[in-house]
Amino acid sequence: MGITVRTYTLDDFEGLLDLQKEAFPPPFPEELWWKRDQIAAHVSTFPEGAMVAELDGKIVGSATSLLIHHEGKPHTWAEVADDGYIRGSHDPHGDSLYGIDVCVRPAYRGRGVARALYESRKELVIRLGLKRFLAGCRIPNFHEYACRMSCEEYVQQVVQGEITDLVLTFMIRQGLRPLQVLDDYLDDEESLNKAVLVEWTNPHLPVPAGKPSR
């Protein structure tokens, strides 16, 4: 059997917690793993955005999203994710799907799990008639180059294929494009607390007059 993606429920909490324990072992602080009340909030607030990937009946990956109205303003992960609860930041009338996390069991990385979750997110964007999918993308290799170039220069070189970034390069291969650098997005030493807002636009929406299609 191949990878299947479905929405998760509160009944999946133990499986989701086990997934996070494997994906983020110590010294990652366990208080940052999803809590039961956060999973309950995801399911009650925007169940369509709460996804798990399964292989042979086992949860091997998960992804959580919410709806926002995109205006291009700088923001942090805590602000857009409502500290992981999404209730205070989810806009049921939003025009964009915003992904706040993706998690894959280490033993299943490189087997298409994350790709399947992103494809399901794209399908949700199309099904709901949204304008785009957005995410704040980590740039874990940036600290290796920060002494010789700006973050914007680093992103451009990743886009051009001159530098490979563990996360941003993957996102670009999924058809997402960088929009802007977000400072102080998340406590992330490797990314120097920065992230890159990336976008995938709904190809089924009409292109506004005077704007070339991509």
Side-chain angles (χ1 to χ4, degrees), residues 25-90:
F28 186 89
E30 63 180 74
E31 62 267 21
L32 297 183
W33 294 333
W34 284 136
K35 303 175 181 65
R36 178 177 289 274
D37 56 348
Q38 289 174 318
I39 296 300
H42 302 166
V43 171
S44 63
T45 303
F46 185 50
E48 297 95 328
M51 301 177 179
V52 291
E54 292 183 318
L55 188 60
D56 298 326
K58 180 178 183 178
I59 292 177
V60 295
S62 69
T64 306
S65 308
L66 66 149
L67 298 182
I68 68 164
H69 184 75
H70 177 57
E71 297 177 337
K73 295 179 180 179
H75 57 273
T76 67
W77 182 88
E79 290 169 342
V80 74
D82 185 27
D83 289 315
Y85 287 89
I86 80 170
R87 283 187 296 246
S89 52
H90 174 72

Side-chain angles (χ1 to χ4, degrees), residues 135-196:
C137 173
R138 296 183 63 238
I139 41 174
N141 296 100
F142 175 53
H143 70 280
E144 302 170 12
Y145 298 85
C147 63
R148 65 189 107 141
M149 65 181 69
S150 69
C151 189
E152 288 77 10
E153 291 170 328
Y154 175 81
V155 170
Q156 186 59 34
Q157 291 203 26
V158 174
V159 170
Q160 293 172 349
E162 297 169 8
I163 295 175
T164 298
D165 184 88
L166 183 63
V167 180
L168 182 56
T169 297
F170 169 81
M171 298 289 251
I172 292 170
R173 288 172 178 166
Q174 306 314 304
L176 286 85
R177 69 181 185 99
L179 293 181
Q180 67 191 93
V181 172
L182 300 171
D183 295 319
D184 300 315
Y185 184 75
L186 190 66
D187 187 8
D188 180 355
E189 185 176 350
E190 291 180 322
S191 304
L192 302 186
N193 298 340
K194 297 179 183 291
V196 178

Side-chain angles (χ1 to χ4, degrees), residues 110-128:
R111 297 173 63 176
V113 177
R115 185 182 306 113
L117 289 164
Y118 276 101
E119 287 303 311
S120 293
R121 285 170 155 177
K122 293 175 184 178
E123 291 168 6
L124 182 59
V125 167
I126 293 170
R127 179 159 58 85
L128 297 180

